[in-house]
Amino acid sequence: MKLKNLTFKGGLHLPEFKELSEHCKIEAALPVEELIIPLSQHVGAPCEPTVKVGDEVKVGTVIGDLDVSLYAPVHSSVSGTVTKIEDRFTLDGSVSKCVIIKNDFKDELAYEIVNKNLEDISVEEIIESVKKAGVVGMGGAAFPAHNKLAGATTGVDSVILNGAECEPYLTCDHRMMLEWSQKIIDGLRIIMKVTNAKHGYIGIEDNKKDAIEHLTKELSSYENLHVAELKTKFPQGDSYRMVDSILNRKVPMGGRTGNVNALVTNVGTAAAIADAVLRGIPSYERVVTVTGDGIKNPHNYIVRVGTPIGKLIEMAGGFNGSPKAIIGGGPMTGFSQFDMSTPIQKNSSGLLVIKEDPSAIYEMTPCIRCAKCVEACPVHLMPLNIARLASVENFEETEKYRVSACIACGSCSYICPAHRPLTELVTAAKRELKARSRKAR
């Protein structure tokens, strides 16, 4: 099976800007005095607080829980005192109920670190450990990991760990693959045990040669574990594109990777699963890339969930000049920030500060129907037609163009020579149709 120079049809070759932080080893972020921990950090129902103002908590204390099928519990990332429970903005611009904790800087643990062998743990115990730890998809999707595993105990023959990290600027996954390789491999083996998959792959773009070489060496003693070398192209990190590139399988519209007997998750998620299952550690911290030409000293930090983004910027030396944009995540799929107290979450991969906003220097002009957006679309849609209909609020017609299949990767907006907000219009159509569907029920 060919495992080099793999790719998919469509997509873009983007400037990378990874040199700013790709050689920055993972460092522990400095402790902060106040943590703001959202109770909705996952796909599914938001948690309800299990603590009240005045309660003392420890690192790993459950502060948010719920009795539903699709959710993930939330844990305190420090020891200290609950001072407030109130609504705050999160990185995607939504509002979530948050537990605000005053740090006592003692870092007392509410859990006991263990050292288990995978061979001694049952599938049921693995799923329960992942659920108890509150692990979610850390590549951005934030889907509860225990739900994903529980739904894939049969019918999966291949597990793929996504180490593509195709967004410009971001390097947190790259550093984890270099520095946490054994933990990532442990996570892959745990997932394969749950799914009974015969093959495991770590998909890495070919702009990360050192990670490819390192993990190839680390996997050499495992017959059924492989590194898949992918062409550097956006959005290679989308799970459906990974399955297409590595396994040459097409996920049907509206389907999931399980429909083609595959399971895909991020390398950071695999590391968190290993921590939860083998060491009993809850998910309350993650690696975050703090970068951009608007930051004095780019870093890759391991950050406690709930740390305000303004504090991370301070740790990285502060602003380099006057920033034009602060983005939570990568430049293609991230969200502009307006409040420096907005907290880091489990699925926060990066914090990007740029001095010049490239989109601000262009003026939107009429569509010339050049079809560049069609060529770039990795889902093979016609963004120009969907956007035209959305701009006149003819949302029903957009369904004829499979608007619901859009993954909001931003490729169409990036490539458009008329500088039209194609992604925004397509996303607006999806949102409107979804709202109407809910209302009709």
Side-chain angles (χ1 to χ4, degrees):
M1 181 180 178
K2 177 187 172 185
L3 289 174
K4 288 190 176 183
N5 205 34
L6 305 175
T7 192
F8 62 96
K9 184 179 180 181
L12 299 170
H13 297 278
L14 303 172
E16 296 176 19
F17 302 109
K18 292 181 183 285
E19 68 279 359
L20 295 170
S21 61
E22 65 184 342
H23 299 298
C24 298
K25 292 185 178 181
I26 299 169
E27 297 180 23
L30 296 173
V32 299
E33 186 173 348
E34 183 179 79
L35 287 293
I36 303 162
I37 305 179
L39 295 179
S40 180
Q41 299 185 51
H42 50 266
V43 172
C47 290
E48 291 295 331
T50 56
V51 292
K52 61 184 184 300
V53 173
D55 283 356
E56 300 293 322
V57 297
K58 296 180 180 180
V59 180
T61 297
V62 175
I63 61 173
D65 211 341
L66 204 62
D67 186 20
V68 296
S69 59
L70 186 62
Y71 89 107
V74 177
H75 302 77
S76 175
S77 58
V78 294
S79 58
T81 307
V82 176
T83 59
K84 297 176 185 175
I85 300 175
E86 62 186 24
D87 288 345
R88 294 288 189 95
F89 282 107
T90 59
L91 288 171
D92 65 359
S94 63
V95 173
S96 171
K97 187 177 291 183
C98 295
V99 176
I100 291 88
I101 300 172
K102 184 178 180 181
N103 191 355
D104 64 11
F105 300 99
K106 295 179 181 179
D107 268 353
E108 295 180 285
L109 301 183
Y111 61 93
E112 182 180 350
I113 297 175
V114 298
N115 187 16
K116 296 182 179 180
N117 294 315
L118 178 56
E119 292 74 19
D120 301 329
I121 311 171
S122 69
V123 168
E124 293 74 21
E125 288 172 324
I126 289 171
I127 295 172
E128 183 59 28
S129 295
V130 173
K131 178 180 179 179
K132 183 179 177 182
V135 180
V136 303
M138 299 179 89
F143 194 86
H146 70 276
N147 287 96
K148 194 168 192 175
L149 293 178
T153 54
T154 59
V156 171
D157 60 36
S158 301
V159 173
I160 299 173
L161 295 191
N162 180 359
E165 198 164 46
C166 59
E167 280 262 15
Y169 289 99
L170 303 184
T171 58
C172 57
D173 289 354
H174 186 178
R175 294 311 312 177
M176 281 189 278
M177 288 187 287
L178 290 173
E179 300 179 50
W180 295 1
S181 56
Q182 188 57 57
K183 197 184 292 190
I184 290 169
I185 294 168
D186 287 343
L188 175 56
R189 293 178 62 230
I190 289 168
I191 297 168
M192 291 178 68
K193 178 169 182 173
V194 172
T195 60
N196 201 30
K198 292 182 173 61
H199 301 284
Y201 304 90
I202 304 177
I204 310 173
E205 286 191 329
D206 56 16
N207 61 350
K208 305 173 186 66
K209 296 294 185 185
D210 51 356
I212 290 171
E213 292 173 6
H214 177 64
L215 279 166
T216 298
K217 181 179 179 181
E218 293 294 300
L219 294 179
S220 60
S221 60
Y222 300 95
E223 289 186 6
N224 59 343
L225 305 184
H226 318 277
V227 169
E229 187 173 328
L230 307 162
K231 282 188 178 180
T232 300
K233 184 166 64 170
F234 182 84
Q236 182 65 80
D238 175 68
S239 60
Y240 294 7
R241 274 12 88 190
M242 294 288 285
V243 170
D244 187 356
S245 297
I246 296 173
L247 303 177
N248 195 27
R249 301 174 189 173
K250 311 290 185 185
V251 179
M253 180 181 169
R256 298 187 181 278
T257 57
N259 294 121
V260 291
N261 308 114
L263 183 149
V264 183
T265 196
N266 177 260
V267 290
T269 312
I273 287 173
D275 273 341
V277 174
L278 302 180
R279 289 170 277 280
I281 302 174
S283 182
Y284 59 81
E285 60 184 3
R286 65 149 302 129
V287 181
V288 179
T289 302
V290 184
T291 188
D293 62 0
I295 283 286
K296 286 185 179 178
N297 301 307
H299 274 76
N300 288 295
Y301 288 118
I302 183 161
V303 183
R304 305 288 181 100
V305 167
T307 300
I309 61 173
K311 295 296 183 181
L312 277 182
I313 291 171
E314 289 177 17
M315 291 176 211
F319 294 125
N320 178 29
S322 179
K324 290 293 187 293
I326 301 170
I327 301 169
M332 296 298 287
T333 61
F335 296 88
S336 293
Q337 302 303 304
F338 55 86
D339 183 348
M340 292 297 96
S341 69
T342 303
I344 292 297
Q345 300 176 189
K346 297 177 190 178
N347 64 335
S348 303
S349 55
L351 184 60
L352 170 61
V353 182
I354 52 179
K355 289 198 290 188
E356 298 294 335
D357 181 0
S359 64
I361 64 176
Y362 297 114
E363 182 179 349
M364 185 176 70
T365 58
C367 173
I368 59 174
R369 301 188 69 78
C370 65
K372 286 189 175 182
C373 61
V374 179
E375 294 173 4
C377 179
V379 193
H380 316 306
L381 304 180
M382 299 183 72
L384 73 167
N385 287 347
I386 298 172
R388 175 178 55 81
L389 292 166
S391 67
V392 295
E393 299 186 4
N394 191 351
F395 300 114
E396 291 84 359
E397 286 293 307
T398 65
E399 292 186 286
K400 295 180 180 179
Y401 291 95
R402 301 191 300 131
V403 64
S404 61
C406 171
I407 60 173
C409 66
S411 296
C412 54
S413 290
Y414 180 90
I415 201 66
C416 178
H419 313 297
R420 302 187 68 78
L422 301 177
T423 304
E424 291 83 350
L425 287 166
V426 175
T427 301
K430 285 181 65 177
R431 189 182 300 119
E432 178 64 23
L433 290 172
K434 189 174 182 179
R436 292 181 183 184
S437 176
R438 281 199 300 263
K439 191 174 181 180
R441 296 194 207 120

